[in-house]
Amino acid sequence: MAIKIKYLLVSIILNGFIFIPAQQQGDTLTQWKAKFATLGGVPKISSEGTWIGINKQYKLGGDSAYVVSTKDKTIHKIVSTGVLDFLNEEGVFGRKADQLQFLNLKTGKIYQYNNASNYYRLDNLNRYAIYSRDKHLIFYDLTGNQLQEMADIDGLMATDSKSKLYVVRQSEGKAKILETTGKRQEIVYSTENRISKIELTPSGKQLLITEVQIQKGHNQLTILDSEHDYKKVIQLNVPSKSELSLTEIQNGKYFLINSRVRFSEEQSSLVDIWYGNDPFVNLHKRMYVNNEYWLWDTIANKLQSLKIQENHVLESLNNARYFLTYLPRKDYNFNTFTPDINDAYIFDISTESLTAIGSLKQIPTLTKGWRPDFVGNRFFCSKNGRLFLASNDGKNWSLFSTSGKREALIEKFGLEKPVFTANSNQIYFESSDDLWKYDINRKKLTALGIAKGKKVEIKNQTNEFGESTLNSFLPEDSILLEVYDNYSNKTFYNMYRKGKWKEVVPETENRIDSDHLLFNRNMTSFYTLERNFNQPPTLYSYVNGHKNKLFNAGIKDVEAQKIKQKIYNFKAVGKNLRGILYYPIDYDPKGKYPMVVHIYQVQRTLSNDYLSPNNVSPVGFQIRTLLERGYFVYLPDIEQGKDGPGMSALECVNSALDALLKNPLIDQDRIALLGHSYGGYETNFIATQSQRFKTYVSGAGFSDLISSYHSYSYQYVKPFYFFYETGQFKMGDSVAEDKEKYLLNSPILNVENVKSPILLWGGKKDENVPLDQVMEFYIGLRRYQKQVIALLYKNGNHDFLHHPLEEKDRDEKILEWFDYFLKDIKDVPWINKQIKKKAPF
């Protein structure tokens, strides 16, 4: 191992240890990894942009959080393991389990509350309330002075987070709702029924109360006008055990009220009966019956019962007259992850008539790294409630009026999530090739030419979600756009305002995750959390075109700056692909080093991910640790061609390795291949076809496409064939339609051809890739007397992310496996029991 003496001395001085052979490391590796911290989670910015809250995280706990001034770089530390919550620009809340802290941002003083169950902000009054586990609710001002205390509060509360908090007190057969501001309180409602739930509408103008009337055998929905003396405006009887939901229409002028009961039936203790024509198949707990709907006109205070076909559902299109209705899961046979909506109708409540709009399918989208996904909401509604978008073929968008008339077919494949303008005259479409604008009046689609060949995402739209509908529109005349180059992995941000485009964050090679761009209310200042392979996460500000380092929590990683990365280009399956090669830290340019290749799908998006040894992705693969131990690490892209996933992976990996043949530092005779889950499948397949690898490690990998295709997934709670036809495997056809492709791409059918030792691992509690798939490959390898060891973890799930003992043992054994076969470190007893065949068991 050619690690320089200089590095070893520096490591002794800075860290108090050196890397020693794997079998002697014990806790040394763990202690080294524990020293690495990172900034992460979801950063939060105060509404005016004066403060940013961010978490500092460690692998073994000890997390904390910081609040950073964007004006003068004042820094406060606060205990928190979650997202920080600001009270205006005056204070911030941090929480860890039942320990709560409030930091006064003006004085820097921290007020701590133990045994806290929850807290509530009253922003307009500059005060807050703490609800403790002993059912006490105590109000405080910003300086920690106690204002009011209320006892025997049972935890049912609702707040507008501005000036009012509602609490329920139930005793002696009566229930009371009290409205309190922290200084005064008054009873706003009293009932002899038990109250099971209270909540405010999004506008805060109505208080919703669910009452249980046991003797009468039904529940009651009571709605109070919280703006006008708590007048009772609605009282509605609904079935007992029903779930109630209210959907705002036209900014709260109307509400669609839905009462539904979760399906239940008496189960036999002897047998479960599964029917072949059941579109729910073991998902009956997600099935609802007794759907009832009402439209509530809040202006006229009129409640109208809406009668629909039995078992159908009704959904808002942000219109008070026209609604979407359909039979859930009609003709669904689990070919896709989520059901299409077949035979949808528009229900006109004025005439009680139905207009057919056909069957609706999901539009595909490409996430970063060209991983296929789907736009989850199928109906995108305008702000004025007169239009919506949907797709009848899964390729092109159709523009409908809410009456059901199709106004236009937008014939352009590749248009992804649509966003209406505030005036509902135009629609912007995200895509993987530029931003597109559709002029509704002129029926004209135009590419804006600001991001040709790049993926765009609108960051400032307003989204109001329904079950299958989404009100999606822009605020006023502004667009904040993220532009991402799927090939180079670079990002920049543009803003459109007052008829002009302006670059607000210049193009960067640093990684900026989707929730790591922050901006103030007026979108005049922008902040990013950026990282790169050799740079820990750092908070930056972009103000008036100037980039400044704002905060990094004192995290330093001098060794990371030594990491060398090189991007290789290659072609396979008819596509231009890339591979990321990392060099060993402190490598000798005259030396020769082993290499570990990790595969999954397209991995170029990882080129700017900070290489902390504590990264949880890729699963079971410690890039940074391997670099420190004198290995090359290679992450090539894998795309799928016409011959199927296994054959495509083999072609891509061979081409990726060929691109490295001229690198004299890589020992071509000491290369290992590793993958997990889908990457484990690819590893299994390549192991049956290739002689270029000295060893393999496959985690939770599929081995038999036929048996897996015809299996039931307890992870996704449905038959698994969707995963092969339209999911990650992208086979396109069923087994019956293309048996040859499924057979050609099944590793188990060529298991006898494996030539190199392979380490398999899996969890006995894995519901994603059942352990049977790992065991089938192990049994096949054993039958043909191949060198194989399987690590079967009793409590392990799919990735061990929340199983630290299993994770630690697996990661150490994988490192020992690589050292054994690529560095000839042979004193590893658990491996020798397999390799040295005379060793006693």
Side-chain angles (χ1 to χ4, degrees):
M1 179 166 56
I3 297 179
K4 292 184 178 179
I5 298 298
K6 175 185 71 172
Y7 164 68
L8 295 177
L9 292 175
V10 171
S11 183
I12 293 172
I13 294 170
L14 295 180
N15 301 319
F17 68 95
I18 62 173
F19 285 104
I20 53 181
Q23 69 273 19
Q24 300 177 30
Q25 284 178 1
D27 287 335
T28 304
L29 180 60
T30 301
Q31 293 169 358
W32 172 69
K33 293 171 69 173
K35 296 178 181 181
F36 286 80
T38 186
L39 291 177
V42 181
K44 187 74 175 288
I45 189 168
S46 61
S47 60
E48 300 302 323
T50 308
W51 299 92
I52 293 176
I54 192 166
N55 294 88
K56 185 177 182 180
Q57 301 169 332
Y58 292 86
K59 176 69 173 178
L60 300 180
D63 295 358
S64 59
Y66 291 87
V67 187
V68 184
S69 169
T70 61
K71 306 300 182 185
D72 59 12
K73 296 188 179 181
T74 298
I75 298 171
H76 299 289
K77 187 176 181 180
I78 186 171
V79 169
S80 181
T81 55
V83 180
L84 297 179
D85 188 20
F86 287 94
L87 196 165
N88 299 321
E89 310 297 304
E90 310 294 324
V92 65
F93 296 92
R95 185 171 184 174
K96 183 178 182 181
D98 62 357
Q99 179 185 352
L100 182 75
Q101 289 187 346
F102 176 75
L103 167 64
N104 185 309
L105 292 169
K106 301 296 184 184
T107 65
K109 188 172 182 179
I110 290 178
Y111 304 91
Q112 182 162 312
Y113 307 95
N114 298 318
N115 200 31
S117 177
N118 210 341
Y119 69 93
Y120 301 90
R121 304 183 343 258
L122 295 177
D123 292 353
N124 291 353
L125 303 176
N126 276 335
R127 64 185 65 147
Y128 57 93
I130 308 295
Y131 180 61
S132 61
R133 299 194 184 280
D134 60 4
K135 297 186 176 182
H136 281 246
L137 182 70
I138 305 176
F139 288 82
Y140 300 89
D141 66 17
L142 297 180
T143 60
N145 292 323
Q146 182 173 325
L147 303 175
Q148 181 186 27
E149 181 173 0
M150 303 174 69
D152 301 321
I153 305 300
D154 68 1
L156 292 175
M157 297 182 222
T159 182
D160 61 1
S161 297
K162 296 177 181 177
S163 58
K164 295 178 182 179
L165 177 63
Y166 299 91
V167 301
V168 175
R169 184 177 280 153
Q170 303 186 116
S171 63
E172 299 179 356
K174 287 190 176 182
K176 298 177 181 179
I177 297 179
L178 295 88
E179 181 253 301
T180 175
T181 64
K183 283 191 174 180
R184 62 171 181 81
Q185 64 185 52
E186 65 172 310
I187 298 173
V188 299
Y189 187 70
S190 180
T191 178
E192 294 183 356
N193 300 320
R194 181 175 65 84
I195 295 176
S196 61
K197 183 180 181 181
I198 64 171
E199 61 180 321
L200 282 164
T201 55
S203 65
K205 296 179 181 180
Q206 296 90 13
L207 180 63
L208 315 176
I209 307 163
T210 303
E211 304 180 47
V212 179
Q213 296 183 323
I214 298 176
Q215 294 180 346
K216 295 182 180 180
H218 58 74
N219 291 351
Q220 180 176 284
L221 172 65
T222 302
I223 302 179
L224 305 182
D225 185 339
S226 57
E227 286 194 325
H228 300 94
D229 298 325
Y230 298 100
K231 178 183 176 182
K232 188 186 297 182
V233 293
I234 292 292
Q235 200 159 49
L236 181 66
N237 291 333
V238 296
S240 61
K241 298 183 180 179
S242 62
E243 298 179 13
L244 292 168
S245 66
L246 274 76
T247 304
E248 276 196 345
I249 299 172
Q250 290 299 300
N251 201 30
K253 293 179 182 178
Y254 304 87
F255 282 90
L256 177 65
I257 302 174
N258 174 215
S259 166
R260 61 185 185 178
V261 178
R262 196 177 292 271
F263 176 81
S264 64
E265 63 181 355
E266 187 175 342
Q267 298 292 324
S268 168
S269 60
L270 178 64
V271 60
D272 288 337
I273 303 177
W274 290 31
Y275 295 95
N277 60 356
D278 183 358
F280 281 86
V281 182
N282 202 32
L283 274 172
H284 297 104
K285 62 183 179 181
R286 301 183 188 178
M287 179 179 173
Y288 291 93
V289 294
N290 299 336
N291 264 304
E292 294 185 75
Y293 295 92
W294 299 265
L295 180 67
W296 175 32
D297 181 339
T298 64
I299 307 299
N301 195 29
K302 179 183 177 182
L303 191 68
Q304 178 182 356
S305 177
L306 306 179
K307 303 299 182 184
I308 61 171
Q309 298 178 71
E310 185 179 5
N311 296 326
H312 282 58
V313 297
L314 200 69
E315 293 195 38
S316 167
L317 294 170
N318 200 28
N319 187 286
R321 177 176 175 177
Y322 300 106
F323 293 83
L324 170 69
T325 183
Y326 59 93
L327 179 64
R329 293 175 176 261
K330 182 180 181 183
D331 301 327
Y332 181 45
N333 193 27
F334 299 93
N335 304 90
T336 55
F337 179 74
T338 55
D340 291 327
I341 293 179
N342 292 315
D343 294 336
Y345 295 87
I346 299 300
F347 178 46
D348 182 343
I349 67 171
S350 295
T351 62
E352 294 189 344
S353 61
L354 295 172
T355 300
I357 58 173
S359 296
L360 289 311
K361 298 183 181 297
Q362 297 182 76
I363 289 281
T365 182
L366 291 174
T367 61
K368 289 182 179 180
W370 288 315
R371 295 179 183 177
D373 201 353
F374 292 91
V375 178
N377 295 83
R378 301 173 185 83
F379 299 85
F380 291 81
C381 307
S382 64
K383 186 177 182 179
N384 64 11
R386 297 175 183 174
L387 300 166
F388 69 87
L389 285 158
S391 177
N392 295 111
D393 59 5
K395 297 178 181 179
N396 304 296
W397 289 101
S398 288
L399 180 66
F400 292 87
S401 67
T402 44
S403 65
K405 178 185 176 182
R406 187 161 78 172
E407 302 290 342
L409 174 64
I410 305 173
E411 294 186 89
K412 169 65 180 175
F413 181 73
L415 300 180
E416 299 177 1
K417 183 179 176 182
V419 181
F420 285 87
T421 55
N423 60 15
S424 303
N425 289 332
Q426 291 92 27
I427 307 166
Y428 287 97
F429 288 95
E430 300 176 351
S431 84
S432 294
D433 181 18
D434 210 350
L435 180 68
W436 295 74
K437 183 172 74 171
Y438 182 76
D439 188 304
I440 294 173
N441 296 323
R442 297 169 59 198
K443 297 185 178 180
K444 183 177 181 181
L445 180 69
T446 307
L448 298 189
I450 59 173
K452 186 173 177 59
K454 299 182 173 79
K455 180 173 179 58
V456 298
E457 180 181 336
I458 297 173
K459 306 296 290 185
N460 66 319
Q461 73 267 34
T462 297
N463 291 325
E464 299 170 353
F465 290 89
E467 289 285 337
S468 299
T469 61
L470 175 66
N471 302 335
S472 181
F473 51 87
L474 289 163
E476 305 307 326
D477 186 27
S478 63
I479 305 173
L480 179 60
L481 196 69
E482 178 185 88
V483 181
Y484 173 75
D485 189 321
N486 245 324
Y487 194 72
S488 69
N489 206 16
K490 296 178 181 179
T491 305
F492 67 89
Y493 294 86
N494 271 4
M495 185 172 68
Y496 179 81
R497 178 175 279 175
K498 296 181 179 180
K500 295 182 180 180
W501 284 97
K502 177 184 178 182
E503 185 178 74
V504 294
V505 176
E507 187 174 68
T508 176
E509 293 183 345
N510 290 340
R511 187 182 190 92
I512 305 174
D513 289 339
S514 60
D515 52 8
H516 288 176
L517 172 74
L518 307 171
F519 46 89
N520 60 355
R521 191 200 309 268
N522 297 324
M523 292 197 300
T524 55
S525 299
F526 298 86
Y527 308 90
T528 59
L529 182 62
E530 303 180 22
R531 63 187 190 272
N532 216 311
F533 70 94
N534 56 359
Q535 173 192 306
T538 302
L539 194 62
Y540 293 95
S541 67
Y542 291 85
V543 181
N544 297 323
H546 299 289
K547 178 180 181 179
N548 293 294
K549 179 178 175 181
L550 194 61
F551 182 69
N552 71 347
I555 298 172
K556 297 180 181 179
D557 188 352
V558 177
E559 288 297 304
Q561 298 174 19
K562 300 179 181 179
I563 299 174
K564 179 181 177 180
Q565 178 195 91
K566 185 174 181 180
I567 305 297
Y568 283 82
N569 300 312
F570 62 94
K571 289 187 177 182
V573 295
K575 298 180 181 180
N576 294 321
L577 303 178
R578 286 189 154 194
I580 310 165
L581 181 68
Y582 293 103
Y583 284 63
I585 291 180
D586 284 323
Y587 69 93
D588 184 345
K590 296 181 180 179
K592 220 170 184 62
Y593 298 86
M595 181 172 70
V596 179
V597 180
H598 176 272
I599 54 175
Y600 188 72
Q601 287 181 299
V602 173
Q603 298 184 100
R604 73 187 61 165
T605 58
L606 300 178
S607 67
N608 51 15
D609 198 12
Y610 170 54
L611 293 183
S612 167
N614 295 317
N615 286 353
V616 297
S617 179
V619 173
F621 186 55
Q622 303 180 62
I623 298 177
R624 177 65 176 275
T625 307
L626 288 166
L627 301 182
E628 299 273 3
R629 297 165 72 99
Y631 288 93
F632 274 96
V633 171
Y634 192 35
L635 282 70
D637 287 344
I638 291 180
E639 279 271 35
Q640 186 166 323
K642 59 182 177 59
D643 293 329
M647 295 300 294
S648 298
L650 178 65
E651 181 182 342
C652 290
V653 168
N654 279 332
S655 296
L657 288 179
D658 290 345
L660 300 183
L661 289 176
K662 294 183 180 180
N663 190 321
L665 299 175
I666 298 172
D667 188 338
Q668 300 289 334
D669 296 323
R670 291 188 293 158
I671 301 177
L673 184 68
L674 172 143
H676 167 254
S677 192
Y678 187 78
Y681 155 74
E682 293 172 323
T683 300
N684 290 343
F685 185 87
I686 291 170
T688 68
Q689 306 288 326
S690 177
Q691 298 186 36
R692 301 183 72 164
F693 296 97
K694 193 168 184 179
T695 187
Y696 301 93
V697 176
S698 170
F702 298 95
S703 59
D704 188 338
L705 301 197
I706 304 292
S707 65
S708 181
Y709 175 94
H710 291 106
S711 68
Y712 182 85
S713 171
Y714 288 91
Q715 168 85 10
Y716 299 106
V717 202
K718 64 184 66 179
F720 207 32
Y721 45 79
F722 80 88
F723 192 69
Y724 289 90
E725 292 186 32
T726 59
Q728 192 169 23
F729 276 77
K730 296 190 289 187
M731 300 292 274
D733 297 315
S734 67
V735 170
E737 293 168 321
D738 198 343
K739 283 190 178 74
E740 185 176 348
K741 184 186 287 188
Y742 279 87
L743 294 172
L744 180 67
N745 287 275
S746 286
I748 193 64
L749 297 182
N750 292 292
V751 67
E752 73 278 7
N753 294 328
V754 174
K755 297 294 191 289
S756 300
I758 185 167
L759 176 67
L760 308 176
W761 65 266
K764 291 190 174 183
K765 295 184 178 180
D766 187 349
E767 294 183 344
N768 191 332
V769 179
L771 193 65
D772 288 350
Q773 287 288 311
V774 178
M775 289 302 297
E776 187 171 346
F777 206 58
Y778 164 77
I779 295 299
L781 290 162
R782 182 184 177 91
R783 170 62 182 85
Y784 300 108
Q785 296 182 305
K786 304 299 178 178
Q787 296 284 17
V788 58
I789 297 178
L791 308 175
L792 312 176
Y793 291 89
K794 298 177 182 178
N795 296 314
N797 55 11
H798 186 57
D799 47 30
F800 302 1
L801 293 185
H802 302 292
H803 297 80
L805 295 179
E806 287 80 3
E807 180 186 32
K808 178 176 180 292
D809 185 80
R810 175 202 63 195
D811 291 354
E812 289 177 350
K813 281 185 166 59
I814 290 174
L815 289 173
E816 289 176 332
W817 185 268
F818 290 146
D819 284 349
Y820 190 99
F821 290 101
L822 302 184
K823 291 188 176 182
D824 294 325
I825 300 176
K826 301 298 187 183
D827 187 18
V828 187
W830 69 271
I831 299 178
N832 280 329
K833 285 186 177 181
Q834 167 65 36
I835 303 303
K836 296 184 178 180
K837 298 183 178 181
K838 294 183 179 180
F841 278 82

